[in-house]
Amino acid sequence: MRTTPSPVAARPRVTREAPAPHGRQPLPDRAGPALPRVYVPRTRLWQRLDEAVEGAVSLVVAPAGAGKTLGVAGWLRHTGSGWARDAVWVDADASWTPGRLGAVLDGTGPPGPAGPSLVVIDDAHLLPGATLHHVDARLSSAPGTLRVLLLSRWTLPLTRLVPELLGHFTFLRGDLLRLGDDENAALVAGHARTDDAQVADAVRRHADGWCAAAVLAARGLGAAPDPAVAARLLAHDAAPLARRVAGEVFGTLSPRQRHLLLCVAGEGAVSAATAAHLARDQHAGEILTELEDTGLLVRREAGHAGADEFRVHPLLVETVRQRLAAGGVEAARARATVVRAVELDVARGNPSDAFARLVRVRAPGEAADVLARDGVRMVLSLCGPDEVDEFVRTEPETVDGRPDTWFAIALGCWLRDDVEGTRHWGDRLLGGRRRPHSWLPGHPEGLDARLACVRLWRAALALEPAYAAVGHAKRVLAASQARPAVREANADVLPVLATELGVTQNWLGELTEAETNLTLAVSLSRSQGLAPLGTCALSHLAFTQYMRGRESACTELATEVLDTTGAPETRGGQVVAARAGLAQLLARLLDVPSPRETTTEQAASPRHHSGDLCTRFWFRIWDARQQVLAGDVAGAQRILSGPGECLRLTDDQLPDHLRVALLVERAFVAALANDRDTLRSLHRSLELLDAVGESALVQGLRADRDGDRRVAAAAFEAASADATYSQPPTRALALACEAQLLDALGDPAGSGDRLAEAIAVTESRRNAAPFLGWTRQGTPIETLLRRLAKRVGSGWGWLSDLVATASGRPDVTALYASVTATPGELDDVAQALVPPALSPREREVLNELARGATYADIAAALFVSENTVKTHVSSLYTKLAASRRSEALKIARGFHLL
C-alpha cells in the first residue's frame, strides 16, 4: 500500500528553500537552473567540486540524466567559497564562438584573492571546436586567468597531462554522480511518496545509480495503485525506462561507439581484446575507456584473470537489445560483424559462447547451425541452457524448420527437469523415424543414439516399456563400439546414451551391466571434456555400488563427486550433489564408529530429478530410517507403506530388487513395532517374488516375535544359505540373528561360529546393521561380541569397532519396545482428536515410568519428594484416562508421547 513518509522516518532531502547543510549560506537563484521540489544533496560531488575548482579548468563528464546539471546547481547554492558567489552559468550551444566565450571569461571581474570568478558551462560538448581550442590555449598559456567548470556528456579534446600535473586541470568522472543507497531511498521517498524498502530496492537495482532512470521509475511506481506490487514487476519491464533514458543517451553517441555497444553490450563483462575481436575494431579498448569516463555508461572492473574488464550499464544493454530486435542498418552491420567473429572462433576450435552471441545479435540461422553442430556438447557443459531456451522461445519458426537441433533442445529440457519439454521434443524426434532424414545418422538400421536416449527418457516417464527401450539402447551402444561408421555418427551422444542406459539399468536391477555402462560414460565424458556429465554418471555409479553391497566403494565415489561439485549453483548440479550425498549417507549410516559429519543437510532440496526413479526410491528409504532414528517407528511405517509423491514407487510398480529391499525394510520396522500381522503379510509377498532367503529372514523375525526360538533359528539358517540380493545384507543379518538365538538355546559354540561368519561377511562393507540386536528371544548382541573378542584376541579391527560401539547399548528391539506403540495400541487411540497436553515435568515423569523406575528412583532422579512424584503420576493418569502404569504407557505410546 502507498504510504506517506512521516517527518521522522523519511530520508532527508534538500530543496531550494531548505537551509544549507554544513552552515553554508544559499546563493541567489541566478547561479544555474532552479532546483526541483524534490532535491537530494550530492555530497560526494560537492566535496570534490570544492577541491577541483581551485584549479583553472574542471571537467565533469557524465551521460544525460546522470544529474550533473542539478548536482552542480545545488552545489553553487550551498557552497561557502567566495569565488563561487558570483558564478556565471552558461548553457552552451553552437553559437558560443571563441570571442563570445572569451568576453564572458574576461568579464567576470578582476581576479580577487582566490582568483577569477567561476564560469560554469553546461553541455560543453556542444561548444564549437574552435571555442574548445580557445579554452585549451588559455589553459596552457594563462591558467591564472581561468576558473571554468565544464559539464559534458563525453570527454572533450583538451590538453590534460601537463595541466593535471601542475594542478591546473581536474577531471571528474560521472561515477561521482552514481546514486548511493541513501540518495536513492530519499529520491524514491520524494517521488513515489512511500518509504517501502522493497520499492526503494527495486528502483536501486533497476536504475543502477542512474539518476533520471531512478526518478522515472519512482514516479511510475508512485502512480501505481500499489507501489509494492508494481516494484516486483519492475524487474520484468525495463523497456519504458530504457527507451526514455538510455535510448536518448545511445542516440547521442558516435557511430563507432554505437557499433561497439551493439556488438558487445550483451556480453556482461568484456575485456578489451574480446571487444576488439567481436567489433572487428582494434581500438575497441580505447572506445570503452572513453565511455568509461562518463562513469555510468561503462564501468571498469577486475576480471577473472587479473585483466580489466568493462561492463555496460543494464539500461543501455536493454536499449541495445531493442535496437537489434528492431533492425536497421546499424543493427545489420553489428550482426554481420559478430557473425564473422563467431565463425572465426568456431573455425579455430573455440565454439564456447558462439551460440549465445549469435542469439544476442539476432542471427537465428547461424545460431541454429551452431546448435545443430555443437548443441549436445554445449548443453552438457552447462554453458548455454538459458540461451537455448531463449532461442526456442524467440525463434520458433527457425527451430521448427531445423530438426537437427531438436535433440539438443530435448536434452536441455531433460537436464533441467522440464518433463513436458522433454516429452514434446522427444515425440517430435520419434515422429521423424517414419521419414528418412539426413540428420538421423544410422536411421536405416535404427542405430541412432539420439532416438535411443529419447526412448530411455520416455521409459523413465512411464511412456513406454523400460525393457524395450533398454534393449534398443544396448544394440545402439554395442554397434557404436563395434562399427566405426556408427561410432562416428553417434560420437557426441554416446556419453549421454551410456549414462541414461546405466541409470535405467540401475532401476531395473541389471547392476552388472549398469556398472559397465556407467563406467564407460565416465570415461567418455572425461575424454570429451564433459566434466559435469562425468560427475553425474559417477554419482549414479555410486548407487550401483551401494545396491551391489559395496558400501566402501560407494562412499569413495560419492565423496569424489561431492569434492568435485562443491557448492553447486545450478539445479542440475544440486541434484547431482544431493544424489551423491544420499549415497554417502546410506553407505556410512551404519558404519562404526559413526561418522560425525553424517547429517541430512546433504540431502536438501532439490533432492532428485523427476525421471531418476532409483534415487527417489532410496530417498524414501532414507526418510524412513531417519524416522526410526528419531524414535518414530510408526512414522517410518507410514513412509514405507505409501508411494509418496510418485505412483511409480508403489510396491507393485517397483522392479523386483527394489521391491524386495522395501519389503525387508518394512519387515524390520514391523519387528520393532511388534507387528505380527504385517510380518506375516510381508513373508507371503517375498515368497511370491521367489526371494527365498529374504522370505526366510522375515519368517525368522515373525517366529522370534511369537517366542518360538527353534523355528526362528532354523529360518535364519535358511536365510543365510539362500540370500538373493546384496542389498539389504540378508545373509549377515540372518547369521547375526541366528547367533543370538543359538546362544539362548544353549549352543554357544555354534553361536560364536555364526557371529564370526557374520563379522567376516560385513568387514569389507563396514555395515553394522546386523549387529544392532534384532531378536527379542536371543542373547543380547553385546554379550556375544565381547565373548568372541575374548576368544579371538584384539587383532580383529572390525570386531573391536563393533565391540566398542555395542558397549553399554541395549539391543535395538529392547530400546524401542518401551516407546513404540503396537498396532493394537494405535487402534485404541485412533478415534482421539489430539493427544493430551503434558507439562515438562509430567513428560519427565512419564519417561521415567517407561524405564520401569520406582517412585523413589524418580524422586532421586528429578530431585523432588516422593509425594511430588505421586502428584505428577496422578495427574498423568487423569490426562491419559488410565488407571494403572501399564495402561498409561500403552496410551502414551499410542499418542507418540514416548
Side-chain angles (χ1 to χ4, degrees):
M1 297 297 294
R2 184 186 305 170
T3 59
T4 301
S6 65
V8 176
R11 296 287 198 284
R13 63 174 181 264
V14 178
T15 66
R16 288 192 296 129
E17 293 78 14
H22 310 300
R24 295 173 173 174
Q25 297 300 316
L27 290 178
D29 288 348
R30 70 179 184 83
L35 299 183
R37 177 185 61 83
V38 178
Y39 183 78
V40 176
R42 314 303 296 275
T43 52
R44 285 198 308 151
L45 174 68
W46 292 3
Q47 291 170 358
R48 291 298 308 275
L49 287 175
D50 284 343
E51 302 169 358
V53 296
E54 293 181 2
V57 176
S58 302
L59 174 60
V60 178
V61 175
K68 55 185 178 295
T69 299
L70 293 179
V72 172
W75 167 74
L76 288 175
R77 282 163 172 74
H78 300 102
T79 183
S81 301
W83 35 257
R85 182 172 292 109
D86 298 322
V88 175
W89 189 280
V90 173
D91 290 315
D93 55 33
S95 66
W96 284 89
T97 61
R100 183 183 178 190
L101 182 60
V104 173
L105 296 177
D106 294 334
T108 56
S117 297
L118 179 65
V119 175
V120 180
I121 305 178
D122 195 12
D123 289 335
H125 53 278
L126 299 179
L127 290 174
T131 305
L132 289 174
H133 179 72
H134 173 75
V135 174
D136 189 45
R138 291 186 61 164
L139 174 62
S140 301
S141 59
T145 64
L146 289 175
R147 193 171 306 279
V148 178
L149 176 57
L150 301 168
L151 311 183
S152 175
R153 293 183 181 180
W154 50 74
T155 305
L156 301 177
L158 299 176
T159 304
R160 289 173 49 177
L161 180 59
V162 174
E164 277 187 305
L165 293 175
L166 296 176
H168 300 321
F169 182 87
T170 302
F171 179 73
L172 301 179
R173 287 173 33 180
D175 52 3
L176 289 171
L177 290 160
R178 185 179 294 273
L179 291 173
D181 291 347
D182 290 340
E183 294 172 332
N184 178 82
L187 206 62
V188 172
H191 287 284
R193 299 185 298 283
T194 178
D195 280 333
D196 192 324
Q198 183 181 6
V199 175
D201 185 63
V203 173
R204 177 189 60 78
R205 288 184 285 104
H206 190 68
D208 193 25
W210 205 329
C211 183
V215 170
L216 291 173
R219 289 180 178 176
L221 297 180
D226 189 338
V229 174
R232 289 192 291 270
L233 300 176
L234 183 62
H236 306 289
D237 188 19
L241 293 179
R243 283 195 298 266
R244 296 175 63 179
V245 181
E248 176 185 347
V249 173
F250 186 84
T252 65
L253 300 178
S254 68
R256 197 171 181 182
Q257 291 172 330
R258 291 198 298 270
H259 175 74
L260 176 63
L261 290 176
L262 287 168
C263 293
V264 306
E267 290 289 310
V270 60
S271 67
T274 301
H277 172 62
L278 293 177
R280 315 304 295 164
D281 188 340
Q282 61 181 344
H283 299 292
E286 300 172 11
I287 298 174
L288 287 171
T289 301
E290 292 175 4
L291 294 171
E292 181 208 3
D293 287 341
T294 65
L296 276 174
L297 299 182
V298 172
R299 184 191 304 180
R300 187 189 298 261
E301 57 186 40
H304 298 295
D308 286 345
E309 293 181 340
F310 299 88
R311 186 177 297 276
V312 181
H313 191 283
L315 287 181
L316 203 56
V317 173
E318 177 63 17
T319 295
V320 168
R321 188 190 68 79
Q322 294 174 5
R323 293 293 179 100
L324 289 170
V329 176
E330 288 187 333
R333 177 169 172 259
R335 185 177 298 113
T337 304
V338 172
V339 168
R340 286 197 301 272
V342 167
E343 289 173 349
L344 286 174
D345 289 338
V346 173
R348 295 167 182 168
N350 182 27
S352 62
D353 299 325
F355 178 76
R357 285 167 175 162
L358 292 172
V359 172
R360 284 195 291 266
V361 298
R362 298 299 179 95
E366 292 80 359
D369 291 340
V370 173
L371 185 59
R373 183 177 58 250
D374 302 307
V376 173
R377 175 180 294 275
M378 181 175 65
V379 172
L380 290 177
S381 61
L382 305 180
C383 290
D386 293 338
E387 288 81 3
V388 173
D389 185 59
E390 175 70 11
F391 179 67
V392 174
R393 186 179 62 83
T394 58
E395 303 292 344
E397 294 182 0
T398 300
V399 172
D400 188 66
R402 294 294 299 267
D404 50 352
T405 66
W406 294 352
F407 179 77
I409 297 171
L411 177 60
C413 293
W414 181 252
L415 292 179
R416 65 173 179 270
D417 204 5
D418 179 2
V419 173
E420 289 303 319
T422 304
R423 180 174 180 174
H424 170 76
W425 293 107
D427 288 348
R428 296 195 67 176
L429 281 164
L430 292 177
R433 290 186 299 175
R434 300 181 180 90
R435 301 183 303 273
H437 289 294
S438 61
W439 52 271
L440 287 174
H443 175 265
E445 300 176 87
L447 298 178
D448 182 9
R450 295 163 180 79
L451 298 181
C453 287
V454 170
R455 295 190 64 187
L456 290 172
W457 295 337
R458 289 172 53 84
L461 299 176
L463 299 176
E464 71 171 87
Y467 286 102
V470 167
H472 177 222
K474 287 180 181 179
R475 292 193 298 273
V476 174
L477 188 61
S480 298
Q481 292 178 295
R483 297 164 58 178
V486 179
R487 180 169 60 250
E488 182 180 356
N490 291 330
D492 58 337
V493 188
L494 281 182
V496 183
L497 178 60
T499 300
E500 297 301 334
L501 179 57
V503 171
T504 308
Q505 290 173 323
N506 265 354
W507 166 250
L508 296 177
E510 300 175 359
L511 300 182
T512 301
E513 293 184 56
E515 181 179 6
T516 300
N517 290 324
L518 288 171
T519 301
L520 174 63
V522 173
S523 175
L524 290 173
S525 300
R526 289 176 174 174
S527 65
Q528 295 185 22
L530 302 174
L533 180 62
T535 303
C536 177
L538 205 62
S539 67
H540 287 290
L541 184 59
F543 261 110
T544 309
Q545 300 299 337
Y546 177 74
M547 290 186 288
R548 299 195 69 182
R550 302 170 181 172
E551 283 87 350
S552 297
C554 169
T555 300
E556 291 179 6
L557 293 174
T559 302
E560 181 180 348
V561 171
L562 293 173
D563 290 342
T564 302
T565 57
E569 297 180 356
T570 64
R571 189 188 190 282
Q574 292 168 353
V575 168
V576 170
R579 184 187 305 119
L582 175 64
Q584 186 185 66
L585 289 172
L586 289 169
R588 302 181 65 183
L589 177 64
L590 296 171
D591 192 1
V592 293
S594 180
R596 294 181 179 179
E597 65 272 17
T598 298
T599 66
T600 59
E601 293 179 1
Q602 300 176 60
S605 181
R607 306 207 305 176
H608 49 68
H609 188 283
S610 297
D612 187 3
L613 299 175
C614 190
T615 301
R616 296 177 72 172
F617 169 83
W618 287 109
F619 262 116
R620 180 180 170 193
I621 298 296
W622 168 255
D623 291 339
R625 292 181 181 178
Q626 288 298 100
Q627 292 296 313
V628 173
L629 292 175
D632 187 1
V633 175
Q637 287 181 301
R638 287 192 296 272
I639 292 173
L640 294 174
S641 299
E645 74 274 8
C646 181
L647 295 178
R648 299 285 304 281
L649 299 183
T650 54
D651 289 3
D652 58 346
Q653 294 289 324
L654 291 171
D656 287 351
H657 74 119
L658 295 181
R659 188 178 182 190
V660 168
L662 175 64
L663 295 176
V664 173
E665 192 86 15
R666 288 181 59 190
F668 278 93
V669 175
L672 294 179
N674 201 20
D675 189 345
R676 184 178 187 276
D677 292 339
T678 298
L679 287 171
R680 181 174 62 250
S681 173
L682 294 172
H683 174 224
R684 288 199 299 266
S685 297
L686 287 167
E687 282 184 325
L688 293 175
L689 290 172
D690 292 328
V692 178
E694 287 75 8
S695 64
L697 178 65
V698 176
Q699 182 184 14
L701 291 175
R702 177 187 170 196
D704 174 72
R705 183 264 172 210
D706 292 341
D708 194 336
R709 290 175 176 170
R710 293 193 181 279
V711 172
F716 287 134
E717 181 181 10
S720 65
D722 204 1
T724 307
Y725 297 100
S726 299
Q727 199 64 258
T730 300
R731 184 182 176 213
L733 286 164
L735 287 169
C737 291
E738 184 186 1
Q740 288 184 270
L741 292 170
L742 288 177
D743 188 78
L745 290 170
D747 184 6
S751 170
D753 291 342
R754 296 294 187 277
L755 186 63
E757 187 177 354
I759 294 172
V761 168
T762 58
E763 184 172 16
S764 62
R765 300 176 64 168
R766 294 195 66 83
N767 189 332
F771 310 103
L772 296 178
W774 291 102
T775 65
R776 296 173 180 270
Q777 309 299 327
T779 302
I781 196 71
E782 179 189 4
T783 302
L784 300 182
L785 289 170
R786 288 189 179 280
R787 185 188 303 164
L788 182 62
K790 289 181 180 179
R791 192 181 83 184
V792 303
S794 59
W796 199 347
W798 177 232
L799 174 58
S800 299
D801 291 340
L802 292 172
V803 170
T805 302
S807 179
R809 293 187 179 183
D811 284 355
V812 66
T813 51
L815 179 65
Y816 284 94
S818 63
V819 297
T820 302
T822 65
E825 292 171 345
L826 290 173
D827 291 340
D828 289 342
V829 299
Q831 301 302 319
L833 294 178
V834 293
L838 303 182
S839 68
R841 181 63 79 183
E842 287 170 345
R843 280 188 173 274
E844 292 175 344
V845 171
L846 181 61
N847 289 328
E848 293 295 327
L849 291 175
R851 286 198 316 113
T854 64
Y855 287 175
D857 294 335
I858 298 174
L862 301 182
F863 301 99
V864 296
S865 67
E866 287 191 45
N867 287 334
T868 302
V869 173
K870 293 177 182 178
T871 300
H872 288 309
V873 171
S874 177
S875 176
L876 275 172
Y877 286 178
T878 300
K879 291 182 177 182
L880 294 172
S883 58
R884 59 186 182 277
R885 178 186 295 214
S886 60
E887 186 179 5
L889 294 178
K890 169 185 172 182
I891 295 172
R893 284 192 292 266
F895 280 122
H896 305 299
L897 297 175
L898 289 171

